[in-house]
Amino acid sequence: MKGINILLVIIVCFMSCKGQNKQSATQQSSENSAHYSSFGEEISEDNALAASEMTLKYENLAVSDTLTTKFKGRVIDVCQAKGCWMNVTLDNGTQAMVKFKDYGFFMPKDIAGKEVIVNGLAFIEQMSVEEQRHYAEDGGESEAAIASIVAPKKTFRFEADGVLIIQ
């Protein structure tokens, strides 16, 4: 009977020590990611293209092409209805409209001006007048600005499966 009790005490001690190691490993990984808020699939900052490099990639795409990539840029504006899209700066005043894969996640509405890293598919799309007006309305544009949209335009688009907001 003493042998069983001693064995039980050893097992309990061994199990409690194992749990402490897991806890410190979890704390360590959360300290490393404390500089980011993550949305969607888990991604890292590794190999993210600069906005200027991404602009060159977009310039080499045709309307039906797609490119799997990751890039860093500054948020210009975010959908104020739900956070279901955002515009991110590229180079030379250009921007990419970022939507989120399968509407699986949304962005906070107050991140304009923050740096983000987005991972997913880059493509070029011809945006209709109606769609441009819809996004202008979601972005809080004035009635005059919305009415001034009268022609379709070629836009840089991005479907993100993961986003990091740099804190």
Side-chain angles (χ1 to χ4, degrees):
M1 188 70 169
K2 276 187 178 182
I4 292 174
N5 287 340
I6 292 173
L7 182 62
L8 243 104
V9 169
I10 292 172
I11 290 173
V12 169
C13 287
F14 179 71
M15 295 301 280
S16 64
C17 290
K18 256 187 135 174
Q20 289 176 354
N21 290 342
K22 284 184 183 178
Q23 187 177 18
S24 64
T26 304
Q27 287 174 344
Q28 214 171 31
S29 68
S30 64
E31 287 173 8
N32 291 340
S33 63
H35 298 85
Y36 301 103
S37 295
S38 180
F39 296 85
E41 291 182 15
E42 191 172 315
I43 63 170
S44 70
E45 64 182 306
D46 300 337
N47 302 319
L49 299 175
S52 57
E53 294 172 295
M54 192 62 210
T55 303
L56 293 173
K57 298 276 186 189
Y58 269 117
E59 289 173 354
N60 292 320
L61 289 177
V63 172
S64 61
D65 293 342
T66 60
L67 173 68
T68 302
T69 190
K70 182 189 322 181
F71 77 95
K72 182 188 282 191
R74 185 170 302 281
V75 176
I76 300 169
D77 58 350
V78 179
C79 172
Q80 293 301 299
K82 291 194 291 189
C84 57
W85 56 263
M86 65 182 172
N87 287 316
V88 177
T89 58
L90 294 173
D91 207 14
N92 301 327
T94 58
Q95 60 188 12
M97 175 176 246
V98 180
K99 287 181 154 185
F100 312 107
K101 186 176 181 179
D102 300 326
Y103 283 94
F105 58 98
F106 301 102
M107 292 292 103
K109 298 176 193 176
D110 61 349
I111 62 168
K114 292 194 175 188
E115 289 279 327
V116 294
I117 297 173
V118 294
N119 184 75
L121 291 173
F123 57 98
I124 295 182
E125 183 176 86
Q126 192 75 16
M127 190 185 298
S128 70
V129 171
E130 294 79 22
E131 191 173 8
Q132 289 178 65
R133 287 181 176 176
H134 171 77
Y135 290 131
E137 188 177 314
D138 281 353
E141 294 291 332
S142 68
E143 289 295 324
I146 294 169
S148 69
I149 301 170
V150 294
K153 74 174 185 177
K154 183 176 159 181
T155 59
F156 296 152
R157 302 292 290 259
F158 198 89
E159 182 181 83
D161 55 22
V163 177
L164 293 175
I165 300 174
I166 301 170
Q167 299 301 314

